[in-house]
Amino acid sequence: MKDQEIILKASNYVFTLFKEKLSRKLVYHNYKHTAEIAKEAQSLGESANLNETDLETLVLAAWFHDTGYADTYNGHEERSVEYATQFLAAEGYPADRIQVVADCIMATKKEHHADSLMQDILADADISNIGKESFFSNAELLRVEWEVFLNKFFTDAEWAQYQLDFLVGQSFRTQVAQDKFNEGLKANIQEQRNILGTLSKKQKKNNKKERETLAQPKRGIETMFQSTYQNHMSLSGIADNKANMMISLNAIILSVIITYLGAKTSVLGTEFTRNPILMVPVGTLILTTLGSVVSAIMSAQPEVTSFKIRANKVKSKKVNILFFGNFTKIPLEDFQVGMHDLMREKDALYNNMITDIYYLGEVLSKKYRLLRVSYTIFMIGLILTVLSFVVAVVR
């Protein structure tokens, strides 16, 4: 091209426009990308032996083809045409050539059918990146851009597959672009296949490692239920032992006190007659042992959770028939039918076991609550007994 003035003005205009209005988050569709496409369009146009007028028009379209990104991401081609039209009209560019520039810009739109060599060349220049070594680094920039502006997110494997599908589905329209980029496109397709294969092997390896670290479902579930039942039985046994200890201790204390109070010895009678306030610590100790032993007995006594059982509840699996407190209230025939149903249906069986564990937990919670009350009464009662005894002796 002999006259580069309009091209220089266009490049300066685009540079200023992007500097002032283009988002910094557009890491792919920026001035650098536009300048590369303009350079590639000129090179392909020269190789295609375009005349100077057509070559100038083609390069102008390349400079303006992405200016619409300054205002919008989707549908930027239409906005790019507006920017190009306004600038070229202000520069006195011929109206018919402005229309050619607009048509070339629209030819870069996806699925647009080109109807001239210039449009094909610009479309090829716009995707020339697929035949270059820089394709993979630029693809990552585009991935970031889509995450920000289109809210599209890909895993590495998904992105590799998407890029491979894109490369395989692309072809250059012009012979000059095919001669220049086809070998690079083939190399990039093969490289993308290698990347996808590596990611797939890595994913399979990770999946295998995860499966190896997990217990087998059936064995793991059975182990969980077995461990839970054992824990509940152990905790229940500990609670019963503690309750029996409190019952024995308080029963001994009560027996001793009652024995002494019931003895009609002159020594004991004289002591209480002379110092009747001693009945305060004795009475406190009696009440303490009585409250403590009652709570301990309530904790140790057998507890059975029960419900009103109906046949329809058994059939609907709303009742746990594995628990003796339930199945002893239904006829043998219903129990047999229910058990056979459980053995056929894994979910129903697990649901019954889960229900059983829940109610075992309720019983265990009540045991420990009453046991705590027993120990608390015993502790507070002993303290009050000792304090009242000290007061009685000092007086």
Side-chain angles (χ1 to χ4, degrees):
M1 291 178 291
K2 295 180 180 178
D3 186 6
Q4 291 282 338
E5 183 179 357
I6 188 66
I7 302 296
L8 182 61
K9 286 184 178 180
S11 65
N12 289 335
Y13 175 83
V14 172
F15 177 81
T16 302
L17 175 68
F18 282 179
K19 183 178 180 180
E20 293 177 353
K21 297 188 65 176
L22 193 69
S23 170
R24 298 293 182 271
K25 296 178 181 178
L26 282 162
V27 292
Y28 179 77
H29 292 101
N30 49 29
Y31 181 81
K32 178 184 177 183
H33 168 75
T34 300
E36 289 177 354
I37 300 306
K39 181 180 178 181
E40 204 58 64
Q42 181 169 340
S43 175
L44 292 175
E46 291 172 350
S47 298
N49 297 317
L50 293 181
N51 61 54
E52 290 188 1
T53 301
D54 287 345
L55 187 58
E56 179 183 85
T57 303
L58 173 65
V59 176
L60 285 172
W63 274 109
F64 281 95
H65 83 286
D66 275 347
T67 50
Y69 278 108
D71 298 324
T72 182
Y73 202 92
N74 292 318
H76 67 277
E77 292 88 357
E78 289 79 2
R79 188 69 182 112
S80 297
V81 169
E82 294 178 10
Y83 274 117
T85 301
Q86 293 171 4
F87 170 80
L88 294 173
E91 293 295 325
Y93 206 67
D96 59 328
R97 303 308 295 175
I98 293 177
Q99 184 59 50
V100 175
V101 170
D103 292 340
C104 287
I105 292 174
M106 293 305 298
T108 63
K109 193 171 185 177
K110 189 176 181 181
E111 306 299 335
H112 188 277
H113 177 70
D115 52 16
S116 73
L117 178 59
M118 282 189 294
Q119 292 178 21
D120 283 336
I121 290 176
L122 183 56
D124 284 346
D126 196 30
I127 64 169
S128 61
N129 181 59
I130 66 176
K132 299 179 180 179
E133 292 181 358
S134 59
F135 168 76
F136 299 99
S137 58
N138 286 331
E140 289 303 313
L141 296 177
L142 182 62
R143 180 181 178 179
V144 172
E145 212 175 82
W146 282 5
E147 289 178 355
V148 174
F149 291 93
L150 301 181
N151 201 30
K152 288 184 176 181
F153 297 89
F154 300 83
T155 64
D156 289 343
E158 289 171 345
W159 182 249
Q161 184 63 60
Y162 182 89
Q163 290 299 94
L164 179 60
D165 294 341
F166 173 74
L167 288 173
V168 172
Q170 294 298 312
S171 61
F172 293 102
R173 305 177 185 180
T174 62
Q175 187 62 47
V176 290
Q178 292 173 11
D179 294 341
K180 187 173 183 178
F181 299 115
N182 267 357
E183 290 302 317
L185 174 58
K186 292 178 182 177
N188 286 341
I189 290 175
Q190 185 57 49
E191 179 64 22
Q192 192 65 48
R193 284 198 176 105
N194 294 339
I195 292 173
L196 182 60
T198 301
L199 289 172
S200 297
K201 289 180 181 178
K202 184 178 180 181
Q203 185 63 43
K204 289 179 181 178
K205 185 177 180 180
N206 290 337
N207 291 341
K208 182 179 179 181
K209 187 179 294 185
E210 289 179 2
R211 287 195 299 269
E212 289 175 350
T213 58
L214 294 175
Q216 292 297 321
K218 183 179 179 181
R219 182 178 179 183
I221 293 172
E222 290 176 353
T223 302
M224 178 194 71
F225 279 118
Q226 183 180 7
S227 176
T228 304
Y229 275 115
Q230 288 177 348
N231 289 338
H232 277 75
M233 295 301 102
S234 297
L235 290 172
S236 181
I238 292 172
D240 289 339
N241 289 336
K242 290 181 178 292
N244 290 332
M245 182 180 69
M246 290 301 296
I247 293 171
S248 300
L249 178 61
N250 285 288
I252 292 172
I253 295 174
L254 277 174
S255 299
V256 171
I257 294 174
I258 293 173
T259 300
Y260 273 100
L261 289 178
K264 300 183 179 298
T265 62
S266 58
V267 176
L268 190 62
T270 304
E271 185 63 30
F272 276 105
T273 303
R274 189 174 62 229
N275 197 4
I277 198 171
L278 286 175
M279 285 300 297
V280 175
V282 173
T284 302
L285 186 57
I286 291 175
L287 292 176
T288 296
T289 54
L290 184 60
S292 180
V293 76
V294 168
S295 298
I297 291 172
M298 292 176 64
S299 174
Q301 71 179 354
E303 183 75 21
V304 177
T305 54
S306 60
F307 308 91
K308 185 178 289 186
I309 308 300
R310 298 188 183 92
N312 63 332
K313 281 192 174 184
V314 176
K315 293 179 181 179
S316 64
K317 311 299 185 297
K318 292 183 179 180
V319 65
N320 175 24
I321 64 170
L322 296 178
F323 179 54
F324 77 93
N326 292 335
F327 68 69
T328 54
K329 296 183 179 181
I330 61 177
L332 175 60
E333 293 77 12
D334 291 341
F335 177 67
Q336 290 174 335
V337 171
M339 288 298 291
H340 282 295
D341 289 341
L342 282 184
M343 288 185 286
R344 284 194 299 267
E345 300 178 25
K346 179 181 66 175
D347 291 341
L349 174 62
Y350 288 159
N351 186 63
N352 269 261
M353 295 175 72
I354 291 169
T355 304
D356 192 33
I357 289 173
Y358 177 82
Y359 288 116
L360 282 175
E362 276 197 343
V363 172
L364 196 58
S365 174
K366 185 177 181 181
K367 276 180 176 288
Y368 274 88
R369 185 170 61 252
L370 290 170
L371 195 57
R372 183 178 181 83
V373 170
S374 176
Y375 272 82
T376 302
I377 292 173
F378 187 75
M379 178 183 66
I380 295 175
L382 283 182
I383 294 173
L384 293 176
T385 299
V386 171
L387 290 176
S388 60
F389 182 77
V390 170
V391 172
V393 171
V394 170
R395 289 187 60 183

